[in-house]
Short mmCIF file of all heavy atoms in Angstrom, two decimals:
data_model
loop_
_atom_site.label_atom_id
_atom_site.label_comp_id
_atom_site.label_asym_id
_atom_site.label_seq_id
_atom_site.Cartn_x
_atom_site.Cartn_y
_atom_site.Cartn_z
N PRO A 10 -24.09 -26.38 46.60
CA PRO A 10 -23.23 -25.71 47.57
C PRO A 10 -22.65 -24.46 46.92
O PRO A 10 -22.25 -24.51 45.75
CB PRO A 10 -22.13 -26.73 47.85
CG PRO A 10 -22.06 -27.55 46.62
CD PRO A 10 -23.45 -27.57 46.02
N TYR A 12 -20.06 -21.14 47.56
CA TYR A 12 -19.14 -20.36 48.37
C TYR A 12 -18.59 -19.24 47.49
O TYR A 12 -17.88 -19.50 46.54
CB TYR A 12 -18.02 -21.26 48.89
CG TYR A 12 -16.96 -20.53 49.67
CD1 TYR A 12 -17.30 -19.84 50.83
CD2 TYR A 12 -15.65 -20.52 49.25
CE1 TYR A 12 -16.34 -19.16 51.54
CE2 TYR A 12 -14.67 -19.85 49.95
CZ TYR A 12 -15.02 -19.17 51.10
OH TYR A 12 -14.07 -18.51 51.81
N GLU A 14 -20.15 -17.20 45.22
CA GLU A 14 -20.58 -17.44 43.83
C GLU A 14 -21.61 -16.39 43.44
O GLU A 14 -22.60 -16.71 42.80
CB GLU A 14 -21.19 -18.84 43.71
CG GLU A 14 -20.32 -19.99 44.15
CD GLU A 14 -19.37 -20.47 43.07
OE1 GLU A 14 -19.28 -19.80 42.03
OE2 GLU A 14 -18.72 -21.51 43.30
N ASP A 44 -22.23 -21.59 51.92
CA ASP A 44 -21.18 -22.10 52.79
C ASP A 44 -20.36 -20.95 53.37
O ASP A 44 -19.16 -20.87 53.15
CB ASP A 44 -20.32 -23.07 51.98
CG ASP A 44 -19.29 -23.79 52.83
OD1 ASP A 44 -19.39 -23.72 54.06
OD2 ASP A 44 -18.39 -24.43 52.25
N ASN A 72 -17.65 -20.76 56.84
CA ASN A 72 -17.27 -21.71 55.80
C ASN A 72 -16.95 -23.07 56.42
O ASN A 72 -16.07 -23.18 57.27
CB ASN A 72 -16.05 -21.15 55.05
CG ASN A 72 -15.63 -22.06 53.92
OD1 ASN A 72 -14.58 -22.67 53.98
ND2 ASN A 72 -16.45 -22.19 52.92
N ALA A 96 -22.20 -24.75 41.87
CA ALA A 96 -22.83 -23.46 41.56
C ALA A 96 -22.17 -22.78 40.36
O ALA A 96 -22.74 -21.87 39.76
CB ALA A 96 -22.74 -22.55 42.77
N ASP A 97 -20.97 -23.22 40.00
CA ASP A 97 -20.22 -22.47 39.00
C ASP A 97 -20.51 -22.90 37.57
O ASP A 97 -19.77 -22.55 36.65
CB ASP A 97 -18.72 -22.57 39.28
CG ASP A 97 -18.26 -24.02 39.35
OD1 ASP A 97 -19.08 -24.91 39.07
OD2 ASP A 97 -17.09 -24.25 39.68
N GLN A 99 -20.10 -25.64 36.19
CA GLN A 99 -19.17 -26.59 35.59
C GLN A 99 -19.86 -27.92 35.30
O GLN A 99 -19.45 -28.64 34.40
CB GLN A 99 -17.97 -26.82 36.51
CG GLN A 99 -16.99 -25.68 36.45
CD GLN A 99 -15.66 -26.06 37.08
OE1 GLN A 99 -15.55 -26.18 38.28
NE2 GLN A 99 -14.66 -26.26 36.25
N LYS A 133 -3.60 -30.26 39.67
CA LYS A 133 -4.85 -30.94 40.01
C LYS A 133 -4.97 -32.25 39.26
O LYS A 133 -5.45 -33.24 39.80
CB LYS A 133 -6.05 -30.04 39.69
CG LYS A 133 -6.49 -29.18 40.86
CD LYS A 133 -7.87 -28.59 40.62
CE LYS A 133 -8.27 -27.69 41.76
NZ LYS A 133 -9.53 -27.01 41.51
N ARG A 201 -15.51 -22.90 34.44
CA ARG A 201 -16.20 -22.18 35.50
C ARG A 201 -16.77 -20.88 34.94
O ARG A 201 -16.09 -20.18 34.18
CB ARG A 201 -15.18 -21.92 36.60
CG ARG A 201 -15.54 -20.94 37.63
CD ARG A 201 -14.48 -20.96 38.71
NE ARG A 201 -14.92 -21.77 39.84
CZ ARG A 201 -15.79 -21.34 40.73
NH1 ARG A 201 -16.30 -20.14 40.64
NH2 ARG A 201 -16.16 -22.11 41.73
N SER A 207 -12.66 -21.95 44.36
CA SER A 207 -12.26 -21.69 45.75
C SER A 207 -11.75 -22.95 46.42
O SER A 207 -11.20 -22.90 47.50
CB SER A 207 -13.44 -21.13 46.53
OG SER A 207 -14.55 -21.97 46.32
N TYR A 208 -11.96 -24.06 45.76
CA TYR A 208 -11.42 -25.29 46.29
C TYR A 208 -9.94 -25.28 46.02
O TYR A 208 -9.48 -25.76 45.00
CB TYR A 208 -12.11 -26.50 45.66
CG TYR A 208 -12.71 -27.39 46.70
CD1 TYR A 208 -13.90 -27.06 47.32
CD2 TYR A 208 -12.06 -28.54 47.09
CE1 TYR A 208 -14.42 -27.85 48.31
CE2 TYR A 208 -12.58 -29.34 48.07
CZ TYR A 208 -13.77 -28.99 48.67
OH TYR A 208 -14.30 -29.78 49.66
N LYS A 212 -6.81 -27.09 50.19
CA LYS A 212 -8.04 -27.75 50.67
C LYS A 212 -8.17 -29.14 50.08
O LYS A 212 -8.60 -30.07 50.75
CB LYS A 212 -9.26 -26.93 50.25
CG LYS A 212 -9.71 -25.90 51.28
CD LYS A 212 -11.10 -25.39 50.89
CE LYS A 212 -11.46 -24.13 51.60
NZ LYS A 212 -12.66 -23.51 51.04
N1 UDP B 1 -17.72 -24.73 47.55
C1 UDP B 1 -18.29 -24.69 48.82
N2 UDP B 1 -17.46 -24.48 49.91
C2 UDP B 1 -16.10 -24.33 49.78
C3 UDP B 1 -15.55 -24.37 48.49
C4 UDP B 1 -16.38 -24.60 47.40
O1 UDP B 1 -19.49 -24.84 48.98
O2 UDP B 1 -15.42 -24.13 50.79
C5 UDP B 1 -18.60 -24.93 46.38
C6 UDP B 1 -18.44 -23.93 45.26
O3 UDP B 1 -19.24 -22.79 45.47
C7 UDP B 1 -18.87 -24.71 44.04
C8 UDP B 1 -18.42 -26.12 44.38
O4 UDP B 1 -18.27 -26.17 45.80
O5 UDP B 1 -20.27 -24.72 43.88
C9 UDP B 1 -17.12 -26.50 43.68
O6 UDP B 1 -16.10 -25.63 44.05
P1 UDP B 1 -14.98 -25.07 43.06
O7 UDP B 1 -15.57 -24.71 41.74
O8 UDP B 1 -14.25 -24.02 43.81
O9 UDP B 1 -14.01 -26.33 42.93
P2 UDP B 1 -13.69 -27.28 41.68
O10 UDP B 1 -14.13 -28.64 42.15
O11 UDP B 1 -14.47 -26.83 40.49
O12 UDP B 1 -12.25 -27.18 41.52
#
Side-chain angles (χ1 to χ4, degrees):
Y12 176 61
E14 304 275 9
D44 187 12
N72 182 249
D97 56 6
Q99 282 195 288
K133 268 195 183 175
R201 166 173 261 283
S207 50
Y208 236 77
K212 268 193 196 169

